[in-house]
């Protein structure tokens, strides 16, 4: 089976809206701290292009807050890019989706510098006070757009998830943010879905992300929301898409349970391995791992906790039966 080809999502850029009032001076040197006064270019004039990881991104890396669920590495921004942007560490794709928002906020505020922390506090308060749409675009949507500049690239995903949660974004709101947003904003929406949408109504967003070849977006798409709501056919193709694009299968939430005793998935994996072997290409090690999980004689994994608790960083963190 050869996964479909599609056009990658739009590069990340924080270009929308007017910023909150500048916080007081006194930044520190911790990651994500706001740069000193005068270091930013005018609002709406900055754009950052992310380097997408290659197909050989490694698996099994340790999760860190705010890393946004992408396998691989990212090139550091040039001097002209937004202040505070840094390389993001490797991490599985479901950490943000599995961390309760209150706990996520506590971790994030402990990592941010003084100015970035003050901006986040005001942004979350604004979102909670005015959650609905006001005019062509709501105020909290503007804060999502500027989160990269304010909090730094390493923590922008976490900040955006918190803003979406504070705004109590419903299906219509997350759909609007997703389709109007940059790749980074779309990724944050996917991470936020388990916290915001209890049913399958937001599946079109997951399906759209799975049609891309953006590995960071794919890693976010196969998180706990997809594990809970994708039907077996879609879920199997999502796993194959990860193997095809080099997204480590550690990013696939609830992989053990959903792959267990899945004869059709085993057949698809065998066909894909045969295709690569016939073409003289190496078979990904992750394929053998998933193939082992499909063995009906293996011990079936126990049901796992819901998205309100920590899972094992991207493998077994959801509840609910297979759709």
């Amino acid at each position: 089976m050869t996964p479909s080809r599609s056009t990658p999502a739009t590069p990340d850029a924080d270009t929308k809206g007017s910023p909150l009032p500048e916080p007081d001076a006194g930044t520190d040197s911790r990651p994500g701290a706001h740069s000193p006064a005068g270091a930013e270019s005018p609002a709406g004039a900055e754009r950052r292009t992310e380097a997408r990881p290659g197909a050989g991104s490694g698996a099994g890396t340790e999760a860190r807050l705010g890393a946004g669920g992408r396998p691989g590495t990212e090139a550091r921004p040039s001097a002209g890019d937004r202040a505070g942007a840094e390389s993001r560490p490797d991490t599985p794709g479901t950490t943000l989706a599995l961390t309760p928002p209150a706990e996520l906020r506590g971790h994030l505020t402990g990592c941010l510098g003084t100015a970035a922390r003050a901006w986040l506090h005001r942004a979350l308060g604004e979102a909670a006070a005015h959650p609905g749409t006001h005019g062509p675009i709501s105020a909290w949507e503007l804060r999502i757009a500027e989160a990269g500049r304010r909090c730094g690239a390493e923590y922008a995903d976490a900040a955006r998830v918190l803003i979406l949660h504070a705004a109590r974004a419903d299906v219509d709101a997350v759909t609007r943010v997703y389709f109007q947003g940059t790749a980074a904003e779309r990724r944050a929406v996917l991470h936020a879905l388990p916290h915001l949408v209890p049913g399958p109504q937001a599946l079109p967003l997951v399906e759209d992300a799975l049609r891309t070849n953006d590995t960071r977006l794919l890693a976010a798409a196969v998180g706990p929301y997809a594990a809970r709501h994708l039907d077996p056919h879609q879920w199997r193709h999502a796993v194959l898409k990860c193997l095809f694009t080099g997204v480590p299968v550690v990013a696939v939430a609830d992989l053990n349970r959903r792959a267990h005793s899945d004869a059709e998935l085993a057949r698809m994996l065998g066909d894909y391995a045969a295709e690569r072997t016939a073409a003289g290409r190496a078979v990904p090690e992750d394929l053998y791992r998933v193939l082992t999980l499909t063995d009906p004689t293996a011990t079936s994994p126990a049901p796992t906790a819901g998205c309100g608790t920590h899972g094992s960083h991207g493998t077994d963190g959801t509840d609910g039966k297979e759709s």
Side-chain angles (χ1 to χ4, degrees):
M1 193 282 296
T2 302
S4 59
R5 299 170 58 193
S6 58
T7 304
T10 317
D12 180 12
D14 290 333
T15 58
K16 295 183 287 188
S18 56
L20 288 169
E22 286 289 339
D24 296 333
T27 61
D28 60 32
S29 59
R30 286 177 289 179
H34 190 348
S35 49
E40 295 188 49
S41 51
E46 296 159 332
R47 180 175 300 270
R48 172 168 56 86
T49 303
E50 297 176 349
R52 295 198 179 99
S57 302
T61 50
E62 181 177 344
R64 278 181 51 189
L65 173 67
R70 57 175 284 273
T73 57
E74 178 180 334
R76 289 187 179 273
S78 63
D81 289 328
R82 79 171 55 92
E86 294 187 1
S87 299
R88 303 190 191 190
D90 295 356
T91 182
T94 59
T95 306
L96 295 178
L98 292 171
T99 305
E103 185 177 339
L104 181 62
R105 181 173 182 175
H107 287 319
L108 181 58
T109 54
C111 293
L112 295 175
T114 304
R117 189 164 55 244
W119 176 87
L120 179 66
H121 178 75
R122 286 196 296 272
L124 294 178
E126 183 180 56
H130 305 287
T133 302
H134 303 276
I137 187 170
S138 58
W140 59 266
E141 291 178 65
L142 301 180
R143 306 314 160 215
I144 285 176
E146 65 181 83
R149 287 188 295 111
R150 297 295 189 167
C151 297
E154 185 174 1
Y155 303 111
D157 281 4
R160 289 173 175 131
V161 169
L162 289 174
I163 293 170
L164 285 162
H165 184 265
R168 303 184 293 281
D170 59 14
V171 175
D172 290 340
V174 295
T175 299
R176 182 176 64 252
V177 172
Y178 180 90
F179 284 110
Q180 294 180 358
T182 64
E185 290 160 31
R186 293 183 177 196
R187 188 170 63 243
V189 167
L190 295 170
H191 287 312
L193 289 181
H195 305 300
L196 300 172
V197 185
Q201 296 88 345
L203 270 181
L205 309 186
V206 174
E207 293 164 356
D208 179 82
L210 290 174
R211 286 191 291 267
T212 76
N213 287 323
D214 183 332
T215 54
R216 299 180 68 186
L217 204 57
L218 288 171
V222 293
Y225 188 82
R228 184 175 299 128
H229 297 298
L230 279 180
D231 66 39
H233 177 76
Q234 291 175 307
W235 185 82
R236 292 179 191 119
H237 280 277
V239 173
L240 266 291
K241 186 67 175 277
C242 288
L243 294 172
F244 181 74
T245 57
V247 174
V249 295
V250 70
V252 181
D254 213 6
L255 177 65
N256 291 4
R257 180 185 66 83
R258 292 209 60 166
H260 177 71
S261 196
D262 190 335
E264 177 61 17
L265 178 59
R267 183 195 64 77
M268 294 169 67
L269 293 170
D271 289 348
Y272 180 51
E275 289 177 10
R276 291 187 66 91
T277 300
R281 303 180 67 185
V283 177
E285 286 296 323
D286 272 355
L287 185 145
Y288 296 113
R289 176 188 173 188
V290 180
L291 191 60
T292 300
L293 296 175
T294 66
D295 184 356
T297 64
T299 303
S300 179
T304 51
C307 68
T309 59
H310 282 294
S312 57
H313 294 311
T315 55
D316 293 325
T318 62
D319 59 3
K321 296 181 180 180
E322 180 175 278
S323 301

